[in-house]
């Protein structure tokens, strides 16, 4: 007679087997230098979720959205493993079937993931399947017999669907089971950590990036927008806590759908220029050999909330889009018939689309290879990305650029458009208070209220601050560096004791003042005045 065991040991066995499978997948992808299967599954999840959910995740978790998603996937896998273990007690086939199905999902996600290697994903999935299944069998064996390899004579006679006995040898059996489970879990942890640290080792991309030396800039910045912009940044305002005038690369905001940053080898990379009269392709060296501009531009994310920090300013170096289009036979300044949309596609399949007009109307619009005097950081699009002044990143700023293509406005909708975001994405005028911080306690007397305001391509004409219900007072603007670049601003406030609300609003150089009405980031950028509450003592 066989007594069905309590389900809990079996569930624990399933959970541990799932952990071992995940650990083996990590070590296999790590050795191959390929992205984790968990990350590839995450990429699929991101692509399948509605844009609203993705944006909500970005808003809720900020730059931690990726970590939260990956952790969730791991926890779900472990929980499913537990359920599978519980169910497999009576129906043994459920174990291999479930691990096989999970391996198929992982392999399929790896094959579909442009930044993964399909071969490595399949090998990792097969190894994970074998590891998960055999761990489950081993732990069930211990549960049955008190040993990993059930002794034949102790095996109960029964069909293939016979249930496992309760831990055979009472306390000793339970102890053996827990010991084996602990060992397997420890192995899983070591494998996962090992796999992760292997995959974090410096890649050929990092080496190739350090070997790049940016050529000297040969063209003057375009006349419009950056008019009169000096090449070196003017010194910004010196106020404690105020955003630096030029954002250092390692402090620049990062937004993208990539769970694993694409690591592009510049030696095999090509930029394809399509939809022009004479389509062509450039190597990275050929791109670097073309005449370049350097221009400071403030870029912003459409998901930037009022007062948010998804905005930054850098000196971008690159080849003007006009140069690249003319090389393909487009007449200078012209928008060819039926080619009024420029689409930028990345190596990982992300796309943007914006009016071709914006590429040729004289604003800063380039395939950038340099950011603040360095080759593009990997996180910001190495080896090349698009930068177009005055357009939100989701319609213009393709990182890890692979192709630019002219097409019709109605012939293609880029990544975020079917996910509910506006097809056109001009950057709205916004202003932000950096100091004092929200809820800050400040001492009565003179207090510097300071922040930044931006209206790329239009320029900032005026920034005003209101204290409580008082009159709007004009702030002093920091140095200008062309109309594409934000302005720092500061107001010396004579703060009286009590609770106060500070508000800011900017007016762009066309005379438009930011509207007071609060509107959410979707579908085309937030509106409203940023405010801060402070306590003066
Ligand atoms: N390949 C790729 N490029 C991309 C994105 C992306 O998801 N994938 N996101 C865009 C968005 S929404 C923004 S706001 C900018 C952000 O650029 P940054 O990360 O360099 O600040 O990149 C753009 N380029
Ligand atoms: Mo964005």
């Amino acid at each position: 007679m066989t007594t069905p065991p309590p389900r809990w040991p079996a569930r624990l066995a399933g959970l541990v087997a799932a952990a071992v499978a995940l650990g083996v997948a990590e070590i296999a992808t790590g050795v191959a230098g390929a992205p984790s299967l968990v990350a590839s599954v995450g990429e699929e999840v991101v692509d399948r979720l509605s844009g609203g959910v993705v944006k909500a995740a970005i808003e809720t978790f900020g730059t931690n959205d990726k970590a939260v998603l990956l952790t969730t996937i791991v926890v779900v896998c472990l929980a499913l493993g537990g359920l599978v273990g519980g169910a497999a007690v009576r129906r043994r086939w459920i174990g291999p079937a479930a691990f096989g199905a999970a391996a198929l999902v992982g392999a399929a996600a790896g094959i579909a993931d442009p930044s993964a290697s399909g071969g490595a994903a399949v090998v990792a999935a097969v190894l994970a399947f074998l590891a998960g299944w055999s761990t489950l069998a081993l732990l069930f064996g211990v549960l049955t017999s008190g040993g990993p390899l059930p002794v034949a004579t102790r095996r109960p006679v029964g069909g293939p669907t016979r249930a496992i006995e309760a831990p055979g040898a009472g306390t000793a059996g339970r102890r053996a089971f827990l010991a084996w489970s602990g060992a397997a879990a420890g192995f899983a942890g070591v494998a996962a950590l090992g796999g992760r640290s292997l995959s974090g080792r410096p890649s050929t991309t990092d080496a190739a990036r350090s070997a790049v030396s940016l050529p000297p800039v040969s063209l003057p910045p375009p006349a419009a927008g950056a008019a009169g912009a000096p090449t070196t940044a003017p010194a910004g305002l010196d106020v404690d806590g105020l955003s630096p005038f030029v954002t250092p690369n390692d402090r620049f905001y990062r937004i993208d759908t990539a769970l694993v940053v694409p690591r592009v080898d510049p030696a095999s990379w090509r930029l394809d220029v399509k939809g022009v009269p004479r389509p062509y392709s450039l190597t990275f060296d050929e791109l670097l050999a073309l005449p370049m501009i350097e221009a400071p531009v403030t870029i912003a994310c459409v998901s930037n909330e009022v007062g948010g920090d998804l905005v930054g300013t850098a000196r971008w170096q690159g080849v003007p889009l006009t140069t690249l289009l003319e090389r393909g036979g487009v007449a200078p300044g012209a928008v060819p018939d039926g080619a009024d949309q420029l689409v930028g596609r990345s190596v990982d399949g992300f796309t943007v689309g914006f009016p071709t007009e914006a590429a040729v109307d004289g604003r800063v619009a380039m395939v950038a290879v340099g950011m603040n005097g360095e080759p593009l950081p990997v996180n910001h699009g190495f080896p090349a990305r698009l930068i177009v002044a005055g357009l939100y990143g989701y319609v213009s700023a393709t990182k890890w650029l692979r192709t630019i293509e002219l097409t019709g406005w109605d012939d293609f909708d880029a990544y975020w458009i079917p996910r509910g975001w506006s097809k056109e994405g001009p950057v709205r005028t916004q202003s932000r208070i950096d100091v004092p911080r929200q809820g800050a306690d400040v001492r009565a007397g003179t207090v510097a209220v300071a922040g930044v305001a931006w209206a790329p391509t239009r320029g900032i004409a005026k920034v005003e601050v209101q204290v409580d219900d008082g009159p709007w007072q004009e702030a002093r603007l920091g140095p200008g560096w062309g109309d594409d670049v934000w302005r720092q601003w500061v107001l010396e406030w004579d703060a009286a004791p009590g609770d106060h609300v500070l508000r800011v609003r900017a007016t762009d150089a066309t005379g438009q003042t930011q509207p007071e009405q609060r509107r959410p980031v979707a579908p085309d950028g937030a509106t409203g005045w940023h405010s801060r509450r402070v306590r003066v003592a």
Side-chain angles (χ1 to χ4, degrees):
M1 188 198 84
T2 56
T3 328
R7 288 214 174 207
W8 279 110
R11 285 189 183 141
L12 179 62
L15 186 150
V16 169
V20 168
L22 287 171
V24 165
E26 287 301 312
I27 203 98
T29 49
V31 167
S36 148
L37 291 188
V38 172
S40 294
V41 170
E43 305 276 1
E44 275 295 310
V45 172
V46 170
D47 283 352
R48 276 156 203 273
L49 283 179
S50 76
V53 176
V54 175
K55 285 282 175 184
I58 291 175
E59 280 147 28
T60 313
F61 303 117
T63 316
N64 289 328
D65 60 332
K66 297 169 170 64
V68 170
L69 174 59
L70 296 179
T71 310
T72 306
I73 292 173
V74 169
V75 169
V76 166
C77 286
L78 296 178
L80 287 176
L83 291 180
V84 165
V89 165
R90 296 205 169 268
R91 298 185 194 81
R92 296 296 280 265
W93 59 266
I94 288 180
F99 279 98
L104 280 179
V105 169
I111 291 168
D113 180 352
S115 58
S117 127
V122 170
V123 171
V126 169
L127 293 177
F129 162 66
L130 294 174
W133 180 16
S134 46
T135 305
L136 189 67
L138 178 145
L139 292 177
F140 276 8
V142 179
L143 270 182
T144 312
S145 65
L149 302 170
V151 184
T153 52
R154 285 173 61 195
R155 238 184 193 174
V157 184
T161 58
R162 73 174 187 275
I164 301 169
E165 292 177 284
T171 318
R174 199 155 41 239
R175 229 184 263 133
F177 171 71
L178 288 177
W180 279 95
S181 299
F187 167 79
V190 169
L193 289 178
R196 282 309 78 211
S197 69
L198 277 175
S199 75
R201 69 192 186 272
S203 66
T204 45
T205 302
D206 300 308
R209 179 178 174 272
S210 348
V212 171
S213 67
L214 294 176
V217 174
S218 49
L219 297 175
T231 338
T232 50
L237 295 179
D238 182 20
V239 177
D240 240 16
L242 172 63
S243 304
F245 189 41
V246 177
T247 316
N249 289 357
D250 59 4
R251 281 179 58 185
F252 211 93
Y253 81 93
R254 174 189 164 201
I255 290 288
D256 51 63
T257 59
L259 288 170
V260 173
V261 178
R263 295 196 169 261
V264 178
D265 177 3
S268 55
W269 177 84
R270 296 284 180 284
L271 175 65
D272 292 340
V273 182
K274 296 184 181 168
V276 292
R278 293 190 305 274
Y280 63 99
S281 185
L282 294 173
T283 65
F284 189 53
D285 286 339
E286 286 166 343
L287 180 68
L288 290 184
L290 294 178
M292 296 210 188
I293 55 168
E294 181 169 65
V297 180
T298 297
I299 67 167
C301 183
V302 68
S303 296
N304 195 42
E305 300 282 350
V306 170
D309 56 7
L310 302 180
V311 57
T313 298
R315 213 161 24 94
W316 305 97
Q317 176 180 343
V319 178
L321 283 175
T322 48
T323 305
L324 293 168
L325 294 177
E326 287 166 29
R327 214 183 136 92
V330 175
V335 174
D337 276 349
D340 51 353
Q341 178 172 211
L342 195 155
V343 170
R345 182 180 298 273
S346 71
V347 299
D348 64 343
F350 175 82
T351 50
V352 303
F354 56 88
T356 307
E357 184 63 29
V360 302
D361 67 3
R363 74 178 72 201
V364 171
M366 66 170 102
V367 170
V369 294
M371 181 175 183
N372 291 326
E374 272 181 43
L376 285 180
V378 172
N379 279 346
H380 296 288
F382 181 79
R385 73 176 301 171
L386 285 168
I387 289 291
V388 182
L391 299 183
Y392 282 126
Y394 82 104
V395 293
S396 71
T398 307
K399 305 191 278 189
W400 314 291
L401 184 65
R402 176 70 182 82
T403 309
I404 57 179
E405 178 169 12
L406 292 187
T407 184
W409 186 253
D410 297 323
D411 295 335
F412 181 74
D413 284 335
Y415 187 88
W416 283 110
I417 313 311
R419 292 168 169 82
W421 295 76
S422 165
K423 179 131 180 178
E424 293 208 58
V427 179
R428 292 182 183 278
T429 303
Q430 273 194 336
S431 54
R432 174 179 85 201
I433 302 171
D434 285 344
V435 284
R437 306 244 164 254
Q438 174 70 9
D441 288 313
V442 298
R443 290 243 293 277
T446 307
V447 172
V449 181
V452 282
W454 58 94
T457 68
R458 301 180 297 280
I460 290 291
K462 181 167 79 171
V463 172
E464 296 164 291
V465 175
Q466 184 186 41
V467 180
D468 304 322
D469 296 318
W472 286 95
Q473 308 174 53
E474 205 166 325
R476 177 162 62 88
L477 294 183
W481 199 16
D483 293 338
D484 297 334
V485 178
W486 62 14
R487 298 290 288 263
Q488 296 170 313
W489 56 266
V490 61
L491 180 87
E492 310 290 338
W493 169 42
D494 188 17
D499 288 342
H500 299 285
V501 175
L502 305 168
R503 271 185 207 87
V504 66
R505 69 178 185 196
T507 301
D508 71 21
T510 72
Q512 291 282 328
T513 299
Q514 278 181 260
E516 175 176 13
Q517 196 202 358
R518 280 271 182 163
R519 292 206 303 178
V521 294
D524 57 4
T527 69
W529 297 334
H530 186 213
S531 65
R532 285 257 162 104
R533 239 164 242 291
V534 294
R535 167 159 296 175
V536 180

